[in-house]
Amino acid sequence: MNTNPSSRQQDAQEQVAHELRALRASIELACHKPARSVVLLSPDNSVPTADAVWNLGLAFRTDTSSTLLADSDMEDPGLHLLADLDLAPGLRQWLEQKGQPASALAATHDHGLLVLAAGCSNEDPLQWLNTESIGWFAPALMACAERVIWRTPPLDQSPVGVLLAGSADAVLMAVRPGHTRRSRVNRAQRILAQAGIMATGTVLVES
Amino acid sequence: MTWSEYGRLFLRHGWLMVAGAAVCGALALGLTTVQEPVFRARARISMIPGVMDWRMRDLTKELARNAVATFPSDELLAAVQDQIGLQTDAEGLRAGWDDGELIITIEAFAGDAATAGILARTAAREFHSRRSLQFTEQDFIEFIEFEIRNREPELQQIAPNVMTNVLAGLFVGFAAGLALVLMLHWRDEEWLLTRQAIEKSVPQPVLGRLRSN
């Protein structure tokens, strides 16, 4: 047993890195192709989706391809805090102006990730993210990065996640053991089934 | 749930049922040692019709049932208290009637065997003398054989019953442990605490885990 604190920390980091690599491989195997667009859904607000999306971005990060994290939770945005960015400009401003998405994107210095912040808080994302707009903004974002990972509002609060999941390569259901209730997960599954969407897999979000 | 899932559940949490039974059994045993003892003394009085015809038999039974229903009367209780010099209440005396054997049973309950014996003996004697007098006045005594069968009452300690207490403790502990196991299982399932619970709740496989910062 290793008792050196720095070695233990290094071991823990290697363990996390291994888990992320395994997760990425599992996702790509489950969707039978490179997952260019990934949507992380949560049944309710028990899952810290900002952290989960951030770590998912780290899992997919490579030196040769860019990964974009997009925050569609305009009621409770969180990705910009992890990336140490301003809340605006972000997704809302870009959708409002229908301009080039690059103007709203920001790159994180240390992690090599592109981040599209929500752009606002306490607003209903359905005003901007709907069946009409998804036809142009999803392809536009895909043109900006090799891979786009969406953070979505909880499914019991907004159907935006379902909307985005419809055009995604991989749909992941995030569950936080000990915090997420089975009844909420079942409800989320029913919502997805009604929309004809089958989640690619489940991801455990643990502290 | 399938039988194999129940099996796994009890293998995982079964020790709770065993521990619950052991703890409650021990508590019951401990309670037994501090429980006040109760002794029962039983006197038997036969009440047989002198002539064995249906009318006399029915009459005897009616008289016996009436005697048992009104036992102990206030006068009998007062007389018993006077004779033994102890305060006792109606709860300490009880009478029963056996239709098949034609026997009236007088039972006395007390914290020690001697008191219970004296109480039963005195109550039986007093009951016998008062009813004999009554039957004489009503001209029934010639037709009914009415006598105390055992001058020394049968004595038995009825409480604490160690076996009953321990068995009850074991049962309660086991049932409480079982309830706890089922509650733990419900908690695991409802709050998705185990990977098995998650995989049962969602049709998709668990692909991996992410840590929240």
Side-chain angles (χ1 to χ4, degrees):
Chain A
M1 188 177 165
N2 201 339
T3 53
N4 187 346
S6 61
S7 294
R8 279 208 305 267
Q9 195 176 1
Q10 197 176 355
D11 288 348
Q13 284 173 350
E14 281 178 13
Q15 172 71 18
V16 170
H18 171 73
E19 285 174 4
L20 290 178
R21 282 195 299 273
L23 176 62
R24 176 183 171 172
S26 297
I27 293 170
E28 292 191 332
L29 281 170
C31 63
H32 306 294
K33 59 182 176 183
R36 285 206 61 209
S37 60
V38 179
V39 172
L40 188 81
L41 302 173
S42 62
D44 57 17
N45 58 9
S46 64
V47 184
T49 48
D51 285 345
V53 165
W54 182 263
N55 286 324
L56 198 58
L58 296 179
F60 279 105
R61 180 186 57 179
T62 62
D63 295 334
T64 54
S65 64
S66 54
T67 299
L68 165 62
L69 310 181
D71 194 349
S72 68
D73 192 348
M74 295 184 188
E75 286 190 17
D76 185 20
L79 269 181
H80 66 286
L81 297 173
L82 294 173
D84 200 16
L85 299 171
D86 292 332
L87 179 59
L91 181 63
R92 181 193 176 284
Q93 288 75 24
W94 170 50
L95 293 172
E96 192 176 18
Q97 294 159 8
K98 296 186 178 176
Q100 288 300 312
S103 61
L105 293 180
T108 56
H109 300 293
D110 298 334
H111 300 94
L113 296 169
L114 289 170
V115 175
L116 179 61
C120 61
S121 60
N122 297 319
E123 276 196 34
D124 181 7
L126 278 177
Q127 289 181 62
W128 311 103
L129 296 161
N130 48 49
T131 48
E132 291 171 11
S133 60
I134 196 168
W136 65 269
F137 75 72
L141 272 187
M142 293 299 294
C144 296
E146 292 291 315
R147 183 172 289 104
V148 179
I149 302 174
W150 286 95
R151 175 181 180 246
T152 61
L155 280 175
D156 66 341
Q157 293 175 15
S158 171
V160 162
V162 181
L163 191 70
L164 293 168
S167 60
D169 294 328
V171 179
L172 303 176
M173 180 66 75
V175 170
R176 191 177 180 198
H179 293 80
T180 310
R181 297 190 72 153
R182 180 176 54 171
S183 52
R184 297 298 179 92
V185 174
N186 290 341
R187 185 175 178 275
Q189 293 288 341
R190 285 199 300 274
I191 291 171
L192 286 182
Q194 276 179 344
I197 297 166
M198 185 74 168
T200 311
T202 305
V203 175
L204 309 185
V205 180
E206 296 172 349
S207 300
Chain B
M1 272 182 85
T2 61
W3 288 109
S4 60
E5 286 173 328
Y6 275 117
R8 278 198 297 274
L9 176 69
F10 290 129
L11 276 178
R12 187 173 162 215
H13 292 305
W15 66 272
L16 283 170
M17 293 186 288
V18 177
V23 168
C24 288
L27 281 174
L29 193 61
L31 187 69
T32 301
T33 60
V34 296
Q35 202 176 352
E36 289 290 327
V38 177
F39 288 87
R40 180 182 65 196
R42 186 183 276 168
R44 294 150 69 86
I45 303 170
S46 63
M47 193 166 167
I48 300 167
V51 182
M52 278 297 180
D53 64 20
W54 286 110
R55 184 173 157 276
M56 278 309 298
R57 193 176 171 90
D58 285 348
L59 178 66
T60 306
K61 286 181 180 177
E62 288 300 322
L63 288 169
R65 287 193 194 109
N66 174 262
V68 165
T70 56
F71 180 89
S73 64
D74 292 342
E75 292 83 6
L76 184 139
L77 200 58
V80 170
Q81 285 175 355
D82 281 347
Q83 286 182 43
I84 64 173
L86 288 172
Q87 286 296 318
T88 185
D89 56 14
E91 296 297 314
L93 288 169
R94 194 187 297 164
W97 165 245
D98 186 326
D99 238 5
E101 292 188 17
L102 304 176
I103 294 280
I104 292 174
T105 309
I106 305 286
E107 291 179 332
F109 302 91
D112 63 278
T115 307
I118 293 169
L119 198 56
R121 192 163 50 239
T122 312
R125 202 183 304 133
E126 190 64 27
F127 175 79
H128 181 261
S129 66
R130 283 167 184 266
R131 285 291 166 175
S132 295
L133 185 63
Q134 185 189 357
F135 294 157
T136 305
E137 287 169 357
Q138 294 170 343
D139 291 335
F140 288 138
I141 197 71
E142 294 172 26
F143 308 106
I144 297 172
E145 187 185 313
F146 185 59
E147 61 180 31
I148 299 174
R149 302 295 292 272
N150 55 339
R151 293 288 164 186
E152 285 305 315
E154 304 156 13
L155 281 169
Q156 188 183 5
Q157 183 175 350
I158 57 168
N161 188 324
V162 179
M163 187 58 75
T164 304
N165 287 358
V166 170
L167 283 177
L170 288 173
F171 177 76
V172 168
F174 187 84
L178 179 64
L180 190 60
V181 167
L182 294 176
M183 279 174 61
L184 285 173
H185 175 66
W186 174 85
R187 187 199 63 167
D188 286 358
E189 293 279 306
E190 184 58 28
W191 292 98
L192 304 172
L193 282 169
T194 61
R195 200 179 175 105
Q196 288 83 0
I198 293 167
E199 284 174 344
K200 268 175 63 183
S201 298
V202 291
Q204 301 81 27
V206 175
L207 299 177
R209 61 176 184 169
L210 290 167
R211 293 173 194 266
S212 61
N213 297 328

mmCIF file of all heavy atoms in Angstrom, chain A residues 162-180:
data_model
loop_
_atom_site.group_PDB
_atom_site.id
_atom_site.type_symbol
_atom_site.label_atom_id
_atom_site.label_comp_id
_atom_site.label_asym_id
_atom_site.label_seq_id
_atom_site.Cartn_x
_atom_site.Cartn_y
_atom_site.Cartn_z
ATOM 1 N N VAL A 162 -34.488 16.554 -24.641
ATOM 2 C CA VAL A 162 -35.092 15.622 -25.607
ATOM 3 C C VAL A 162 -34.904 16.153 -27.021
ATOM 4 O O VAL A 162 -34.580 15.410 -27.956
ATOM 5 C CB VAL A 162 -36.597 15.434 -25.294
ATOM 6 C CG1 VAL A 162 -37.224 14.451 -26.272
ATOM 7 C CG2 VAL A 162 -36.780 14.955 -23.867
ATOM 8 N N LEU A 163 -35.088 17.462 -27.157
ATOM 9 C CA LEU A 163 -34.947 18.111 -28.462
ATOM 10 C C LEU A 163 -33.531 17.910 -29.016
ATOM 11 O O LEU A 163 -33.346 17.542 -30.179
ATOM 12 C CB LEU A 163 -35.241 19.602 -28.282
ATOM 13 C CG LEU A 163 -35.411 20.442 -29.527
ATOM 14 C CD1 LEU A 163 -36.698 20.073 -30.215
ATOM 15 C CD2 LEU A 163 -35.405 21.913 -29.156
ATOM 16 N N LEU A 164 -32.545 18.141 -28.169
ATOM 17 C CA LEU A 164 -31.161 17.996 -28.600
ATOM 18 C C LEU A 164 -30.789 16.535 -28.807
ATOM 19 O O LEU A 164 -30.011 16.206 -29.706
ATOM 20 C CB LEU A 164 -30.221 18.625 -27.557
ATOM 21 C CG LEU A 164 -30.325 20.147 -27.430
ATOM 22 C CD1 LEU A 164 -29.599 20.638 -26.196
ATOM 23 C CD2 LEU A 164 -29.738 20.820 -28.679
ATOM 24 N N ALA A 165 -31.367 15.668 -27.974
ATOM 25 C CA ALA A 165 -31.046 14.234 -28.065
ATOM 26 C C ALA A 165 -31.487 13.660 -29.405
ATOM 27 O O ALA A 165 -30.877 12.721 -29.915
ATOM 28 C CB ALA A 165 -31.703 13.479 -26.916
ATOM 29 N N GLY A 166 -32.540 14.244 -29.975
ATOM 30 C CA GLY A 166 -33.071 13.737 -31.248
ATOM 31 C C GLY A 166 -32.066 13.776 -32.373
ATOM 32 O O GLY A 166 -32.143 12.961 -33.307
ATOM 33 N N SER A 167 -31.112 14.700 -32.327
ATOM 34 C CA SER A 167 -30.145 14.799 -33.429
ATOM 35 C C SER A 167 -28.728 14.451 -32.972
ATOM 36 O O SER A 167 -27.763 14.761 -33.664
ATOM 37 C CB SER A 167 -30.165 16.228 -33.995
ATOM 38 O OG SER A 167 -29.808 17.149 -32.981
ATOM 39 N N ALA A 168 -28.607 13.833 -31.803
ATOM 40 C CA ALA A 168 -27.266 13.532 -31.270
ATOM 41 C C ALA A 168 -26.831 12.120 -31.637
ATOM 42 O O ALA A 168 -27.654 11.238 -31.868
ATOM 43 C CB ALA A 168 -27.262 13.686 -29.753
ATOM 44 N N ASP A 169 -25.496 11.936 -31.701
ATOM 45 C CA ASP A 169 -24.957 10.593 -31.951
ATOM 46 C C ASP A 169 -25.039 9.731 -30.700
ATOM 47 O O ASP A 169 -25.258 8.527 -30.787
ATOM 48 C CB ASP A 169 -23.480 10.701 -32.389
ATOM 49 C CG ASP A 169 -23.341 11.401 -33.725
ATOM 50 O OD1 ASP A 169 -24.250 11.259 -34.559
ATOM 51 O OD2 ASP A 169 -22.326 12.103 -33.921
ATOM 52 N N ALA A 170 -24.803 10.349 -29.557
ATOM 53 C CA ALA A 170 -24.826 9.591 -28.295
ATOM 54 C C ALA A 170 -25.661 10.347 -27.267
ATOM 55 O O ALA A 170 -25.496 11.559 -27.094
ATOM 56 C CB ALA A 170 -23.406 9.399 -27.769
ATOM 57 N N VAL A 171 -26.562 9.636 -26.654
ATOM 58 C CA VAL A 171 -27.419 10.228 -25.611
ATOM 59 C C VAL A 171 -27.109 9.494 -24.301
ATOM 60 O O VAL A 171 -27.279 8.275 -24.220
ATOM 61 C CB VAL A 171 -28.913 10.079 -25.965
ATOM 62 C CG1 VAL A 171 -29.788 10.680 -24.871
ATOM 63 C CG2 VAL A 171 -29.210 10.722 -27.306
ATOM 64 N N LEU A 172 -26.640 10.242 -23.350
ATOM 65 C CA LEU A 172 -26.246 9.625 -22.078
ATOM 66 C C LEU A 172 -27.184 10.070 -20.968
ATOM 67 O O LEU A 172 -27.509 11.254 -20.852
ATOM 68 C CB LEU A 172 -24.812 10.036 -21.713
ATOM 69 C CG LEU A 172 -23.741 9.709 -22.756
ATOM 70 C CD1 LEU A 172 -22.391 10.247 -22.304
ATOM 71 C CD2 LEU A 172 -23.668 8.213 -22.990
ATOM 72 N N MET A 173 -27.641 9.104 -20.187
ATOM 73 C CA MET A 173 -28.487 9.410 -19.034
ATOM 74 C C MET A 173 -27.593 9.428 -17.789
ATOM 75 O O MET A 173 -26.986 8.408 -17.448
ATOM 76 C CB MET A 173 -29.576 8.343 -18.892
ATOM 77 C CG MET A 173 -30.515 8.551 -17.717
ATOM 78 S SD MET A 173 -31.535 10.020 -17.897
ATOM 79 C CE MET A 173 -32.703 9.465 -19.126
ATOM 80 N N ALA A 174 -27.514 10.582 -17.167
ATOM 81 C CA ALA A 174 -26.659 10.704 -15.976
ATOM 82 C C ALA A 174 -27.464 10.371 -14.727
ATOM 83 O O ALA A 174 -28.586 10.837 -14.552
ATOM 84 C CB ALA A 174 -26.112 12.116 -15.881
ATOM 85 N N VAL A 175 -26.910 9.546 -13.883
ATOM 86 C CA VAL A 175 -27.560 9.139 -12.633
ATOM 87 C C VAL A 175 -26.549 9.332 -11.504
ATOM 88 O O VAL A 175 -25.385 8.941 -11.645
ATOM 89 C CB VAL A 175 -27.995 7.659 -12.712
ATOM 90 C CG1 VAL A 175 -28.443 7.164 -11.350
ATOM 91 C CG2 VAL A 175 -29.117 7.486 -13.718
ATOM 92 N N ARG A 176 -27.001 9.925 -10.428
ATOM 93 C CA ARG A 176 -26.112 10.084 -9.272
ATOM 94 C C ARG A 176 -26.562 9.118 -8.173
ATOM 95 O O ARG A 176 -27.603 9.347 -7.532
ATOM 96 C CB ARG A 176 -26.181 11.528 -8.768
ATOM 97 C CG ARG A 176 -25.111 11.839 -7.752
ATOM 98 C CD ARG A 176 -25.188 13.281 -7.353
ATOM 99 N NE ARG A 176 -24.180 13.616 -6.377
ATOM 100 C CZ ARG A 176 -24.214 14.677 -5.613
ATOM 101 N NH1 ARG A 176 -25.216 15.547 -5.747
ATOM 102 N NH2 ARG A 176 -23.270 14.911 -4.747
ATOM 103 N N PRO A 177 -25.821 8.033 -7.976
ATOM 104 C CA PRO A 177 -26.247 7.035 -6.984
ATOM 105 C C PRO A 177 -26.427 7.654 -5.593
ATOM 106 O O PRO A 177 -25.593 8.426 -5.141
ATOM 107 C CB PRO A 177 -25.095 6.023 -6.972
ATOM 108 C CG PRO A 177 -24.421 6.207 -8.284
ATOM 109 C CD PRO A 177 -24.563 7.653 -8.623
ATOM 110 N N GLY A 178 -27.543 7.303 -4.983
ATOM 111 C CA GLY A 178 -27.823 7.821 -3.644
ATOM 112 C C GLY A 178 -28.527 9.156 -3.652
ATOM 113 O O GLY A 178 -28.967 9.636 -2.610
ATOM 114 N N HIS A 179 -28.634 9.791 -4.805
ATOM 115 C CA HIS A 179 -29.303 11.097 -4.898
ATOM 116 C C HIS A 179 -30.437 11.096 -5.907
ATOM 117 O O HIS A 179 -31.431 11.802 -5.737
ATOM 118 C CB HIS A 179 -28.297 12.195 -5.270
ATOM 119 C CG HIS A 179 -27.282 12.454 -4.198
ATOM 120 N ND1 HIS A 179 -26.187 11.647 -4.020
ATOM 121 C CD2 HIS A 179 -27.218 13.407 -3.250
ATOM 122 C CE1 HIS A 179 -25.482 12.098 -3.000
ATOM 123 N NE2 HIS A 179 -26.080 13.158 -2.504
ATOM 124 N N THR A 180 -30.261 10.333 -6.979
ATOM 125 C CA THR A 180 -31.297 10.281 -8.012
ATOM 126 C C THR A 180 -32.266 9.152 -7.676
ATOM 127 O O THR A 180 -31.837 8.036 -7.390
ATOM 128 C CB THR A 180 -30.666 10.003 -9.386
ATOM 129 O OG1 THR A 180 -29.590 10.919 -9.578
ATOM 130 C CG2 THR A 180 -31.685 10.183 -10.492
#
